[in-house]
Amino acid sequence: MAKRTFSTLETFLIFLLIMMTAITVALLSLLFITSGTIENPKGFPSTESPQATQSPTATQGSTAPQRSTLTQGPTTTQVDPVTTTPEPPLFQNFSGYHIGVGRADCTGQVADINMVLNRLKSKYGSLYRRDNVILSGTHTHSAPAGYFQYTVFVIASEGFSNRTFNYMVTGIMKSIEIAHKNMKPGKIFMNKGNVDGTQINRSPYSYLQNPLAERLRYSSNTDKEMLVLKMVDLNGDDLGLISWFAIHPVSMNNSNHLVNSDNMGYASYLFEQEKNKGHLPGQGPFVAAFASSNLGDVSPNILGPRCANTGESCDNANSTCPIGGATMCMARGPGQDMIDSTRIIGRALYQRATALYALASQELTGPLTSAHQWVNMTDVTVSLNSTHTAKTCKPALGYSFAAGTIDGPGTFNFTQGTTVSDPFWDTLRDQLFGRPSDEMKECQKPKPVLIHTGELSKPHPWHPDIVDVQIITLGSLAITAIPGELTTMSGRRLREAIKAEFATYGMQNMTVVISGLCNVYTHYIATYEEYQVQRYEAASTIYGPHTLSAYIQLYRGLAKAIATDTVANLSRGPEPPFFKELIKPLIPNIVDRAPIGKNFGDVLQPLNSKYRVGEVAEVTFVGANPKNSAENRTHQTFLTVEKYEDASATWQVVHNDASWETRFYWHKGLLGHSNATIQWHIPDTAKPGIYRIRYFGHNRKQDFLKPAVILSFESTSSDFEVVTT
């Protein structure tokens, strides 16, 4: 067949289409970017500028603090890198664990951790290191992006945002600092139990490719067990919780424009509100972290996939509909809408965690140890058996990556389960990026390579080559930090292999927990058998069909080193790069403008004078771009709902922008004009009385021939009454 050439205009238009596809699908695997008329709006437990990072910490004796979820030791933000804090004595007469918990505002989950480790070293010396600090994302698809340094993610987030990156690093540091400061002797208890009615396998056809004998060992095609760590001081007073459970936080689908922390974040929100009574969301001493596990093929949309246009089931090998194809096939949650579904699933997780926490009685005792290596995942030789080996590949994304999932389908004619390339897309790719090498195509088989990211290096590498592998043990518990999203069966195989390795070298009856999305992001990790049918998770297994086998081999090596006390002999591995001059944001900063005769914060649509519980109070102000608030941090929230207290004749804040009951919408207009709408969904628990809503913002101003400045402003609505009937 003759090769078709494209005109410059055709190439440019097709380039725009492929970029739209890449953006749409990349958001499914990472973060949804808020866009359109509501850009970076706010509401729900996790907020647009402030998103909580949680840092429960445990250390044993005078050893370096151990970190479960987000960072291993205590946690912090807003750090002064020139100040060095000496190691505390850590209660030298106490031989158990020292526990600190901390929480701080952050703009998104963390990727590469070099910057964080550098700041930790400058403040705490050698106390917190690459081997004993884990950054694990709670995981949400509804938060700001732009903090990852690899090109495929930078493109998906419309450029690298130094503002987002620094805000995030600062938040992590602050949470560590708080936890470090609050560290005290304590005890850690573990409990496990199943959670029913919250998840389905979104790629059951892939799961069925695994050996029958292996599948028969399990009662479900998802892991239903939740593991909870309960942390208390020596008086038995609550300090914090870490919970691991396999569920994707995609109750909020890709039509959502609100920044929020999804079902796992809502579970954390409920737990912390219960333990921190009298405190606003994100405040109070108790920290509840709900961490990711082997959630790669697990969906919270338990009603399953149906065709949006006909209502019939599309639970088939390709997740396609007779009319509309894959783009019409979407799964639904148990609620009336995605917000209700998030609430239902999140509450179920919270309730089960609460029960497990209350009954936790198995105390963890014993040494705290850690092992870490950097590994070039593009060049790992895997021993398949005594006579055969295989190798991992340079990263590549397959066709089914662009198809998305039943939790958020892609665009164009891509479908899951694609094992044959398409001449049109291959030609387009070749003209835009060049051809993938024969070596890559052979290595990645049967994946048809859509984008050969491992062979693209401009302006920087498109995917990571160097990744972290890490295990931290806390007595009989091994926390396995995974730099990606394991499918259900992949997680089971990895846990079994690590547990067996520990047992081989004398550490019997270890509990191994998978902590996903840690330290760096490398998409998915499917089994070899699942890889053969190339649904979304397999097409997103970037290092090829032997990725899981490579990780099993690497983590067994870490387990052996811990069990045999030879961690010091482990190779450090090749340190990952840290890039500068990343792609600048594609959305320019523009000056904010108020309408003629108006000021920022002026009320455009007033409130009613009276509302009943269950109704929505809504007010619209002259607004400014919310992203300005990441530069000028005069205000720590976009909104408050306040109640007038007669006894003290003062206004008391009852909700902020992290409250589930509030919503913040930013409506972008032309030439720097915008409006901000604040909603309060008045709960049944609201007390009758007089209320008001306040708006806090920052506007960008630039006078002629002068640099831009960010100015703060605030505004207050009229008072209104809330009644119960």
Side-chain angles (χ1 to χ4, degrees), residues 116-135:
V116 177
L117 290 176
N118 289 340
R119 293 196 187 184
L120 284 172
K121 183 177 181 180
S122 69
K123 187 159 186 77
Y124 298 106
S126 62
L127 184 59
Y128 303 114
R129 311 173 304 275
R130 60 183 176 84
D131 63 299
N132 68 359
V133 173
I134 296 176
L135 300 183

Side-chain angles (χ1 to χ4, degrees), residues 15 136 338 471 476 478 549 596 720:
F15 175 79
S136 178
M338 60 183 171
I471 296 177
S476 60
S549 297
I596 296 174
F720 60 96

Side-chain angles (χ1 to χ4, degrees), residues 160 271 532 560:
F160 178 80
F271 211 116
Q532 305 308 304
K560 178 181 178 181

Side-chain angles (χ1 to χ4, degrees), residues 59-131:
T59 79
Q60 170 156 43
S62 58
T63 61
Q66 153 78 336
R67 196 135 181 82
S68 324
T69 290
L70 295 180
T71 87
Q72 188 172 294
T75 306
T76 119
T77 277
Q78 218 103 66
V79 67
D80 181 358
V82 301
T83 304
T84 299
T85 303
E87 292 189 24
L90 292 180
F91 314 96
Q92 293 177 355
N93 293 328
F94 177 70
S95 60
Y97 298 122
H98 300 88
I99 303 168
V101 300
R103 178 199 310 103
D105 289 344
C106 182
T107 54
Q109 69 187 57
V110 174
D112 293 310
I113 65 170
N114 276 2
M115 177 69 77
V116 177
L117 290 176
N118 289 340
R119 293 196 187 184
L120 284 172
K121 183 177 181 180
S122 69
K123 187 159 186 77
Y124 298 106
S126 62
L127 184 59
Y128 303 114
R129 311 173 304 275
R130 60 183 176 84
D131 63 299

Side-chain angles (χ1 to χ4, degrees), residues 620-635:
T620 299
F621 300 89
V622 175
N625 197 321
K627 72 180 180 182
N628 299 329
S629 297
E631 292 188 44
N632 182 331
R633 305 180 193 179
T634 302
H635 305 304

